[in-house]
Amino acid sequence: MELPSLETIKRFVAAGAGITILPRLCLERELAEGSLVSLRLEGTPIGQTLRVVLRRSPTPSPMAEAFLAILSQKFQ
């Protein structure tokens, strides 16, 4: 899904509409509030720390789980 802004992306993730990859700097408030959580991606080719962002609960959908599995295979 393509969305027009980082804020919109974060709101969709918080509503359970998916997961995303965003810079940690734009997530400080949501991470501090606990409305979103981040998972570190190891071995990224660009030399930066990337994190997958998803809502805290409930557990990710089967499609999100599949996407996380692909990312885990690619970056670990």
Side-chain angles (χ1 to χ4, degrees):
M1 180 182 311
E2 185 175 338
L3 298 168
S5 71
L6 293 176
E7 192 60 36
T8 304
I9 293 168
K10 293 187 293 184
R11 288 181 183 178
F12 267 69
V13 172
I19 61 178
T20 189
I21 299 174
L22 291 173
R24 185 176 178 88
L25 183 61
C26 72
L27 299 164
E28 296 299 325
R29 179 177 47 91
E30 292 82 0
L31 295 175
E33 293 172 348
S35 59
L36 297 176
V37 295
S38 69
L39 306 172
R40 186 178 184 139
L41 292 177
E42 300 292 341
T44 55
I46 58 175
Q48 293 181 331
T49 300
L50 295 179
R51 295 181 183 267
V52 176
V53 179
L54 57 154
R55 75 178 177 165
R56 183 171 296 279
S57 63
T59 57
S61 68
M63 187 174 291
E65 289 284 354
F67 182 59
L68 288 170
I70 291 168
L71 290 175
S72 293
Q73 290 173 358
K74 176 74 175 167
F75 293 110
Q76 290 186 359

